[in-house]
Amino acid sequence: MFVKNRMTRKVVAVNPEVSLYDVLKILEDHNFDGIPVVEAGKVIGVIDEKTIMREFCACCAQQNQEAGIDTDMPIPFASTKVAIEPDKRRIAHFLHRRTVSELLHPDQQVVVINADEPIEQASYLMFRHEVDLLPVVDDADNLVGILTKGDVLRVFDEILGYGPKGGDRIMLAVPDVEGRLADITNLMQISNIKVETIASSQSRFASTNLIILKVEKGKGAEAEQALLENGFKIL
């Protein structure tokens, strides 16, 4: 499965001179995780609510320090018993006066992915760079889509078959030897049971693999019986 099969093609992007207020409005109106920043047709960054609020907090801390306010005073943000009223005028002033370009770091690497890359590469990049959103580009580096962490998680949910939709799910522990996956699929074929997905991962024991098998709905019990009769261990 490729990125182009799962990405959102109708992309909303902003230019570097858009105000942070307008960015937050787009994020809120469309329920986006983030927005690509594009200049001259090329992606130069990604802006999200977390980045904006982090910058706002840093700005407030600097202003407090310049005003001589004790910045080390703890504020119980996690407490449900303390109501902290936001200074709406201060927030509005910050959002309207600052632009996206002020939050972009020229030396920061922009993590993008090509539309023809496998979805596993997208998952790796998100994990490696700790990002929730990847701009998708074509061979000319033009923005053609967007891929979110939610898009990737939906793919793995389908593969692992844990959700209520789809077929029956079976988990097996099998020896890490050549041909065991083929043995499972051949057994299902002989038993006239359709395999929807099959996934393999190594367990904490180096000699054992964990297999997640998803078969057609209503055939789970029959598949388990066939596997047990042929010496497979069901978890």
Side-chain angles (χ1 to χ4, degrees):
M1 187 177 297
F2 299 99
V3 169
K4 61 186 176 184
N5 302 126
R6 292 292 178 157
M7 69 183 188
T8 299
R9 296 180 182 272
K10 294 182 179 180
V11 185
V12 177
V14 296
N15 67 63
E17 300 312 312
V18 169
S19 73
L20 299 183
Y21 175 86
D22 289 335
V23 171
L24 282 183
K25 193 171 188 309
I26 294 172
L27 291 172
E28 178 68 22
D29 290 345
H30 297 278
N31 195 29
F32 287 160
D33 296 318
I35 308 175
V37 184
V38 176
E39 187 173 42
K42 308 300 180 185
V43 180
I44 62 172
V46 172
I47 188 76
D48 56 22
E49 182 179 347
K50 180 172 61 177
T51 302
I52 294 173
M53 297 314 298
R54 184 186 295 120
E55 183 70 12
F56 174 68
C57 290
C59 180
C60 290
Q62 182 178 356
Q63 291 175 356
N64 288 343
Q65 189 175 38
E66 292 172 353
I69 299 175
D70 183 7
T71 57
D72 293 328
M73 182 176 63
I75 300 177
F77 289 109
S79 174
T80 58
K81 299 179 180 178
V82 179
I84 301 176
E85 289 294 331
D87 187 339
K88 294 182 180 179
R89 182 175 297 180
R90 190 178 192 182
I91 295 174
H93 182 270
F94 170 82
L95 294 175
H96 283 287
R97 295 289 297 272
R98 304 289 291 274
T99 63
V100 171
S101 61
E102 297 178 66
L103 271 64
L104 299 180
H105 301 284
D107 299 329
Q108 187 174 6
Q109 179 186 6
V110 182
V111 185
V112 299
I113 190 166
N114 190 279
D116 291 321
E117 291 287 350
I119 202 76
E120 296 91 333
Q121 174 70 2
S123 176
Y124 170 78
L125 288 175
M126 288 179 174
F127 173 75
R128 175 70 177 78
H129 296 281
E130 298 182 346
V131 295
D132 297 334
L133 178 148
L134 288 175
V136 184
V137 298
D138 59 16
D139 292 336
D141 289 332
N142 295 313
L143 182 67
V144 295
I146 204 80
L147 191 77
T148 68
K149 185 177 288 185
D151 296 327
V152 176
L153 288 175
R154 274 189 287 274
V155 172
F156 284 97
D157 177 62
E158 292 172 9
I159 293 173
L160 298 177
Y162 189 76
K165 294 183 179 180
D168 296 337
R169 182 173 178 272
I170 303 167
M171 184 178 290
L172 311 164
V174 301
D176 185 14
V177 296
E178 186 177 349
R180 295 307 278 165
L181 280 177
D183 292 340
I184 293 172
T185 55
N186 289 336
L187 178 59
M188 294 299 101
Q189 185 178 17
I190 294 171
S191 304
N192 293 318
I193 299 173
K194 179 184 175 183
V195 175
E196 295 188 354
T197 62
I198 185 168
S200 174
S201 65
Q202 194 171 58
S203 72
R204 56 178 177 169
F205 304 107
S207 60
T208 304
N209 282 342
L210 297 178
I211 306 295
I212 296 177
L213 179 68
K214 185 178 178 183
V215 300
E216 58 184 306
K217 195 169 186 63
K219 290 284 189 175
E222 186 178 339
E224 287 187 3
Q225 185 63 33
L227 290 165
L228 289 170
E229 289 176 355
N230 285 268
F232 287 96
K233 180 181 180 182
I234 296 178
L235 301 179

